Amino acid sequence: MVVIRLSSKKKNFYYINAMYKKKSVNGKIIKRIGYYNPLINYGKSFFINYKILFFFIKNGAKISKRLYSIFKI
């Protein structure tokens, strides 16, 4: 199963990736969808390519709980 979740490469900067559920957070990704920076209080704190996101969701991918709470904002 494919999951869309956060993975960090730097401190307080996260990438939004589509990856297999059984792989580790820093494992091999299928597609990088966007990024999220929680330190920015103004403007764009995250960027998402919605076309790719909806493609994966339409084909059965699930969104992680943490990422779902970011989308709700």
Side-chain angles (χ1 to χ4, degrees):
M1 177 196 288
V2 177
V3 176
I4 299 169
R5 62 183 177 190
L6 295 171
S7 65
S8 67
K9 293 291 183 183
K10 298 179 182 177
K11 185 178 180 182
N12 293 327
F13 186 83
Y14 301 96
Y15 290 112
I16 301 170
N17 296 324
M19 54 188 6
Y20 291 108
K21 185 174 185 174
K22 294 190 177 187
K23 297 288 183 180
S24 69
V25 176
N26 294 325
K28 187 176 178 183
I29 65 169
I30 299 171
K31 186 74 176 178
R32 180 163 290 150
I33 298 173
Y35 63 86
Y36 171 62
N37 189 354
L39 297 178
I40 296 176
N41 293 334
Y42 57 89
K44 290 181 120 178
S45 63
F46 66 91
F47 169 77
I48 300 167
N49 189 341
Y50 287 104
K51 187 175 182 180
I52 297 172
L53 176 71
F54 292 139
F55 171 77
F56 279 109
I57 291 173
K58 186 172 71 172
N59 289 324
K62 303 290 182 185
I63 297 177
S64 67
K65 292 178 184 177
R66 178 72 50 114
L67 194 58
Y68 184 75
S69 67
I70 293 170
F71 288 157
K72 284 177 68 175
I73 296 174

